[in-house]
Short mmCIF file of all heavy atoms in Angstrom, two decimals:
data_model
loop_
_atom_site.label_atom_id
_atom_site.label_comp_id
_atom_site.label_asym_id
_atom_site.label_seq_id
_atom_site.Cartn_x
_atom_site.Cartn_y
_atom_site.Cartn_z
N GLN M 370 115.79 94.35 70.49
CA GLN M 370 116.11 93.87 69.15
C GLN M 370 117.54 94.26 68.77
O GLN M 370 117.95 95.40 68.99
CB GLN M 370 115.13 94.48 68.15
CG GLN M 370 115.30 93.96 66.75
CD GLN M 370 114.26 94.54 65.79
OE1 GLN M 370 113.41 95.32 66.19
NE2 GLN M 370 114.33 94.14 64.54
N GLY M 371 118.28 93.33 68.22
CA GLY M 371 119.64 93.62 67.75
C GLY M 371 120.71 93.44 68.81
O GLY M 371 121.88 93.72 68.56
N GLU M 372 120.33 92.98 70.00
CA GLU M 372 121.30 92.85 71.09
C GLU M 372 122.32 91.73 70.79
O GLU M 372 121.95 90.62 70.41
CB GLU M 372 120.54 92.51 72.37
CG GLU M 372 121.39 92.35 73.61
CD GLU M 372 120.52 91.91 74.78
OE1 GLU M 372 120.06 90.74 74.76
OE2 GLU M 372 120.29 92.71 75.68
N THR M 373 123.60 92.08 70.95
CA THR M 373 124.69 91.11 70.74
C THR M 373 125.69 91.27 71.88
O THR M 373 125.51 92.13 72.75
CB THR M 373 125.44 91.39 69.42
OG1 THR M 373 126.00 92.72 69.53
CG2 THR M 373 124.54 91.29 68.21
N LYS M 374 126.77 90.48 71.81
CA LYS M 374 127.82 90.64 72.82
C LYS M 374 128.41 92.05 72.77
O LYS M 374 128.85 92.60 73.77
CB LYS M 374 128.94 89.63 72.55
CG LYS M 374 128.62 88.23 73.02
CD LYS M 374 129.86 87.39 72.83
CE LYS M 374 129.57 85.94 73.09
NZ LYS M 374 130.67 85.08 72.66
N GLN M 375 128.41 92.63 71.56
CA GLN M 375 128.94 93.98 71.39
C GLN M 375 128.13 95.01 72.19
O GLN M 375 128.66 96.03 72.64
CB GLN M 375 128.95 94.33 69.89
CG GLN M 375 129.66 95.62 69.52
CD GLN M 375 131.11 95.67 70.01
OE1 GLN M 375 131.78 94.64 70.14
NE2 GLN M 375 131.59 96.87 70.34
N THR M 376 126.83 94.72 72.36
CA THR M 376 125.98 95.63 73.13
C THR M 376 126.52 95.78 74.54
O THR M 376 126.65 96.89 75.07
CB THR M 376 124.53 95.07 73.18
OG1 THR M 376 124.10 94.83 71.85
CG2 THR M 376 123.59 96.02 73.88
N HIS M 377 126.86 94.66 75.13
CA HIS M 377 127.39 94.72 76.49
C HIS M 377 128.75 95.43 76.50
O HIS M 377 129.04 96.23 77.41
CB HIS M 377 127.53 93.30 77.06
CG HIS M 377 128.16 93.26 78.40
ND1 HIS M 377 127.60 93.89 79.50
CD2 HIS M 377 129.32 92.71 78.84
CE1 HIS M 377 128.38 93.72 80.55
NE2 HIS M 377 129.44 93.01 80.17
N ALA M 378 129.56 95.18 75.47
CA ALA M 378 130.87 95.84 75.40
C ALA M 378 130.69 97.36 75.31
O ALA M 378 131.41 98.13 75.96
CB ALA M 378 131.65 95.32 74.19
N GLU M 379 129.70 97.81 74.53
CA GLU M 379 129.44 99.26 74.40
C GLU M 379 128.97 99.82 75.74
O GLU M 379 129.41 100.89 76.16
CB GLU M 379 128.37 99.52 73.34
CG GLU M 379 128.81 99.23 71.92
CD GLU M 379 129.92 100.17 71.45
OE1 GLU M 379 129.82 101.38 71.67
OE2 GLU M 379 130.91 99.67 70.88
N ASN M 380 128.08 99.10 76.40
CA ASN M 380 127.60 99.57 77.71
C ASN M 380 128.78 99.73 78.67
O ASN M 380 128.93 100.75 79.35
CB ASN M 380 126.58 98.60 78.30
CG ASN M 380 125.25 98.62 77.55
OD1 ASN M 380 124.99 99.55 76.78
ND2 ASN M 380 124.43 97.61 77.76
N MET M 381 129.64 98.71 78.70
CA MET M 381 130.79 98.76 79.62
C MET M 381 131.74 99.91 79.26
O MET M 381 132.30 100.55 80.14
CB MET M 381 131.55 97.42 79.59
CG MET M 381 130.86 96.28 80.31
SD MET M 381 130.45 96.62 82.04
CE MET M 381 132.06 96.75 82.78
N LYS M 382 131.88 100.16 77.97
CA LYS M 382 132.78 101.24 77.54
C LYS M 382 132.31 102.59 78.13
O LYS M 382 133.11 103.35 78.68
CB LYS M 382 132.78 101.30 76.00
CG LYS M 382 133.70 102.33 75.42
CD LYS M 382 133.71 102.25 73.90
CE LYS M 382 133.24 103.57 73.34
NZ LYS M 382 132.95 103.53 71.92
N TYR M 383 131.02 102.85 78.02
CA TYR M 383 130.53 104.15 78.52
C TYR M 383 130.47 104.19 80.05
O TYR M 383 130.72 105.23 80.66
CB TYR M 383 129.17 104.49 77.88
CG TYR M 383 129.37 104.93 76.46
CD1 TYR M 383 129.21 104.04 75.40
CD2 TYR M 383 129.81 106.23 76.17
CE1 TYR M 383 129.44 104.44 74.09
CE2 TYR M 383 130.04 106.63 74.87
CZ TYR M 383 129.85 105.73 73.83
OH TYR M 383 130.10 106.13 72.55
N PHE M 384 130.20 103.06 80.66
CA PHE M 384 130.23 103.04 82.13
C PHE M 384 131.66 103.33 82.62
O PHE M 384 131.86 104.05 83.60
CB PHE M 384 129.76 101.70 82.68
CG PHE M 384 128.26 101.52 82.62
CD1 PHE M 384 127.69 100.31 82.25
CD2 PHE M 384 127.42 102.57 82.96
CE1 PHE M 384 126.32 100.15 82.20
CE2 PHE M 384 126.03 102.42 82.92
CZ PHE M 384 125.49 101.21 82.53
N SER M 385 132.64 102.76 81.92
CA SER M 385 134.04 103.00 82.32
C SER M 385 134.38 104.48 82.17
O SER M 385 135.07 105.06 83.01
CB SER M 385 135.00 102.19 81.46
OG SER M 385 134.69 100.84 81.58
N GLU M 386 133.87 105.08 81.10
CA GLU M 386 134.14 106.50 80.88
C GLU M 386 133.54 107.34 82.02
O GLU M 386 134.15 108.28 82.51
CB GLU M 386 133.55 106.92 79.52
CG GLU M 386 133.98 108.31 79.12
CD GLU M 386 133.41 108.73 77.76
OE1 GLU M 386 133.25 107.86 76.87
OE2 GLU M 386 133.11 109.93 77.62
N ILE M 387 132.33 106.95 82.44
CA ILE M 387 131.67 107.67 83.54
C ILE M 387 132.53 107.57 84.81
O ILE M 387 132.76 108.57 85.51
CB ILE M 387 130.25 107.09 83.77
CG1 ILE M 387 129.33 107.55 82.63
CG2 ILE M 387 129.68 107.52 85.12
CD1 ILE M 387 127.96 106.88 82.61
N LEU M 388 133.05 106.38 85.07
CA LEU M 388 133.90 106.20 86.26
C LEU M 388 135.19 107.00 86.12
O LEU M 388 135.62 107.69 87.05
CB LEU M 388 134.24 104.72 86.45
CG LEU M 388 133.17 103.83 87.10
CD1 LEU M 388 133.59 102.37 87.01
CD2 LEU M 388 132.91 104.21 88.55
N ASP M 389 135.80 106.93 84.94
CA ASP M 389 137.08 107.63 84.72
C ASP M 389 136.93 109.13 84.89
O ASP M 389 137.83 109.82 85.36
CB ASP M 389 137.62 107.34 83.31
CG ASP M 389 138.07 105.89 83.18
OD1 ASP M 389 138.21 105.22 84.22
OD2 ASP M 389 138.26 105.43 82.03
N LYS M 390 135.78 109.65 84.46
CA LYS M 390 135.59 111.11 84.55
C LYS M 390 135.10 111.53 85.94
O LYS M 390 134.80 112.70 86.16
CB LYS M 390 134.59 111.56 83.48
CG LYS M 390 135.17 111.44 82.08
CD LYS M 390 134.33 112.17 81.08
CE LYS M 390 135.11 112.34 79.78
NZ LYS M 390 134.26 112.53 78.62
N ASP M 391 134.99 110.56 86.82
CA ASP M 391 134.57 110.81 88.20
C ASP M 391 133.17 111.41 88.29
O ASP M 391 132.86 112.19 89.19
CB ASP M 391 135.59 111.72 88.92
CG ASP M 391 135.51 111.54 90.42
OD1 ASP M 391 135.13 110.43 90.86
OD2 ASP M 391 135.79 112.50 91.16
N TYR M 392 132.32 111.07 87.33
CA TYR M 392 130.92 111.45 87.45
C TYR M 392 130.26 110.48 88.43
O TYR M 392 130.63 109.31 88.49
CB TYR M 392 130.19 111.31 86.11
CG TYR M 392 130.67 112.23 85.03
CD1 TYR M 392 130.66 111.82 83.69
CD2 TYR M 392 131.10 113.53 85.31
CE1 TYR M 392 131.10 112.65 82.68
CE2 TYR M 392 131.54 114.36 84.30
CZ TYR M 392 131.54 113.92 82.99
OH TYR M 392 131.96 114.74 81.99
N PHE M 393 129.28 110.99 89.15
CA PHE M 393 128.49 110.13 90.02
C PHE M 393 127.24 109.68 89.26
O PHE M 393 126.60 110.49 88.58
CB PHE M 393 128.02 110.88 91.27
CG PHE M 393 129.07 111.05 92.34
CD1 PHE M 393 130.40 110.73 92.11
CD2 PHE M 393 128.71 111.54 93.60
CE1 PHE M 393 131.36 110.90 93.10
CE2 PHE M 393 129.66 111.71 94.59
CZ PHE M 393 130.98 111.39 94.34
N VAL M 394 126.92 108.41 89.40
CA VAL M 394 125.62 107.91 88.95
C VAL M 394 125.06 107.15 90.13
O VAL M 394 125.73 106.28 90.68
CB VAL M 394 125.77 106.97 87.73
CG1 VAL M 394 124.45 106.27 87.43
CG2 VAL M 394 126.22 107.74 86.51
N ARG M 395 123.89 107.51 90.56
CA ARG M 395 123.40 106.90 91.78
C ARG M 395 122.94 105.46 91.57
O ARG M 395 123.11 104.62 92.44
CB ARG M 395 122.28 107.79 92.35
CG ARG M 395 121.37 107.24 93.38
CD ARG M 395 122.00 106.49 94.54
NE ARG M 395 121.02 105.54 95.06
CZ ARG M 395 121.06 104.25 94.89
NH1 ARG M 395 122.07 103.68 94.25
NH2 ARG M 395 120.12 103.48 95.34
N ARG M 396 122.40 105.18 90.39
CA ARG M 396 121.78 103.86 90.29
C ARG M 396 121.79 103.39 88.85
O ARG M 396 121.39 104.12 87.95
CB ARG M 396 120.36 104.01 90.84
CG ARG M 396 119.30 103.23 90.20
CD ARG M 396 117.97 103.74 90.68
NE ARG M 396 116.91 102.87 90.23
CZ ARG M 396 116.33 102.97 89.05
NH1 ARG M 396 116.71 103.88 88.19
NH2 ARG M 396 115.35 102.16 88.73
N ILE M 397 122.27 102.18 88.66
CA ILE M 397 122.16 101.56 87.33
C ILE M 397 121.14 100.46 87.47
O ILE M 397 121.33 99.50 88.22
CB ILE M 397 123.52 101.00 86.87
CG1 ILE M 397 124.54 102.14 86.76
CG2 ILE M 397 123.37 100.28 85.53
CD1 ILE M 397 125.97 101.68 86.60
N ASN M 398 120.04 100.63 86.78
CA ASN M 398 118.95 99.67 86.90
C ASN M 398 118.96 98.78 85.66
O ASN M 398 118.82 99.28 84.54
CB ASN M 398 117.63 100.44 87.02
CG ASN M 398 116.46 99.52 87.23
OD1 ASN M 398 116.61 98.44 87.80
ND2 ASN M 398 115.29 99.92 86.78
N ILE M 399 119.16 97.48 85.85
CA ILE M 399 119.22 96.56 84.71
C ILE M 399 118.01 95.65 84.76
O ILE M 399 117.77 94.98 85.77
CB ILE M 399 120.50 95.69 84.77
CG1 ILE M 399 121.73 96.58 84.92
CG2 ILE M 399 120.60 94.81 83.53
CD1 ILE M 399 122.96 95.82 85.36
N ARG M 400 117.26 95.64 83.70
CA ARG M 400 116.07 94.78 83.65
C ARG M 400 116.05 94.00 82.35
O ARG M 400 116.62 94.44 81.36
CB ARG M 400 114.78 95.63 83.68
CG ARG M 400 114.46 96.26 84.99
CD ARG M 400 113.07 96.85 84.97
NE ARG M 400 112.88 97.89 83.97
CZ ARG M 400 112.07 97.79 82.93
NH1 ARG M 400 111.36 96.70 82.72
NH2 ARG M 400 111.95 98.78 82.06
N LYS M 401 115.35 92.87 82.39
CA LYS M 401 115.04 92.19 81.13
C LYS M 401 113.74 92.79 80.63
O LYS M 401 112.80 92.97 81.41
CB LYS M 401 114.84 90.70 81.37
CG LYS M 401 116.12 89.93 81.63
CD LYS M 401 115.79 88.45 81.63
CE LYS M 401 116.69 87.69 82.55
NZ LYS M 401 116.27 86.31 82.74
N VAL M 402 113.69 93.05 79.35
CA VAL M 402 112.49 93.66 78.80
C VAL M 402 111.31 92.67 78.89
O VAL M 402 111.51 91.45 78.83
CB VAL M 402 112.75 94.10 77.33
CG1 VAL M 402 112.84 92.91 76.39
CG2 VAL M 402 111.70 95.08 76.86
N VAL M 403 110.11 93.21 79.07
CA VAL M 403 108.90 92.38 78.95
C VAL M 403 108.29 92.74 77.59
O VAL M 403 107.91 93.89 77.38
CB VAL M 403 107.89 92.68 80.08
CG1 VAL M 403 106.63 91.84 79.90
CG2 VAL M 403 108.50 92.43 81.45
N PRO M 404 108.22 91.78 76.66
CA PRO M 404 107.67 92.12 75.34
C PRO M 404 106.14 92.18 75.38
O PRO M 404 105.46 91.22 75.07
CB PRO M 404 108.17 90.98 74.43
CG PRO M 404 108.65 89.90 75.33
CD PRO M 404 108.68 90.37 76.74
N PHE M 405 105.62 93.32 75.81
CA PHE M 405 104.17 93.46 75.96
C PHE M 405 103.48 93.46 74.60
O PHE M 405 103.97 94.09 73.65
CB PHE M 405 103.83 94.76 76.71
CG PHE M 405 104.08 94.67 78.18
CD1 PHE M 405 105.12 95.35 78.77
CD2 PHE M 405 103.26 93.89 78.99
CE1 PHE M 405 105.36 95.26 80.13
CE2 PHE M 405 103.49 93.79 80.35
CZ PHE M 405 104.54 94.48 80.92
N GLU M 406 102.34 92.80 74.57
CA GLU M 406 101.55 92.77 73.34
C GLU M 406 101.20 94.19 72.92
O GLU M 406 100.93 95.05 73.75
CB GLU M 406 100.25 92.00 73.60
CG GLU M 406 100.32 90.57 73.13
CD GLU M 406 99.05 89.83 73.44
OE1 GLU M 406 98.00 90.17 72.85
OE2 GLU M 406 99.12 88.94 74.30
N GLY M 407 101.21 94.42 71.63
CA GLY M 407 100.84 95.74 71.13
C GLY M 407 102.05 96.63 70.91
O GLY M 407 101.95 97.68 70.28
N THR M 408 103.21 96.23 71.44
CA THR M 408 104.41 97.06 71.22
C THR M 408 105.13 96.57 69.96
O THR M 408 105.03 95.38 69.60
CB THR M 408 105.38 96.96 72.41
OG1 THR M 408 105.79 95.59 72.58
CG2 THR M 408 104.75 97.45 73.70
N PRO M 409 105.87 97.46 69.29
CA PRO M 409 106.63 97.02 68.10
C PRO M 409 107.58 95.87 68.42
O PRO M 409 107.77 94.97 67.61
CB PRO M 409 107.40 98.28 67.69
CG PRO M 409 106.61 99.41 68.25
CD PRO M 409 105.99 98.91 69.51
N LEU M 410 108.17 95.88 69.62
CA LEU M 410 109.10 94.81 69.98
C LEU M 410 108.39 93.46 69.94
O LEU M 410 108.91 92.47 69.42
CB LEU M 410 109.68 95.05 71.39
CG LEU M 410 110.71 94.03 71.83
CD1 LEU M 410 112.05 94.26 71.13
CD2 LEU M 410 110.93 94.06 73.35
#
Side-chain angles (χ1 to χ4, degrees):
Q370 185 177 359
E372 180 185 70
T373 61
K374 282 186 188 168
Q375 188 56 29
T376 306
H377 176 61
E379 291 295 314
N380 290 344
M381 286 304 294
K382 182 176 119 192
Y383 285 98
F384 284 139
S385 302
E386 190 179 326
I387 287 171
L388 281 171
D389 290 347
K390 291 194 165 157
D391 203 28
Y392 296 146
F393 282 9
V394 170
R395 164 47 206 107
R396 144 192 188 275
I397 298 168
N398 184 28
I399 307 164
R400 287 190 300 115
K401 286 189 211 171
V402 72
V403 178
F405 284 109
E406 261 178 67
T408 60
L410 183 75

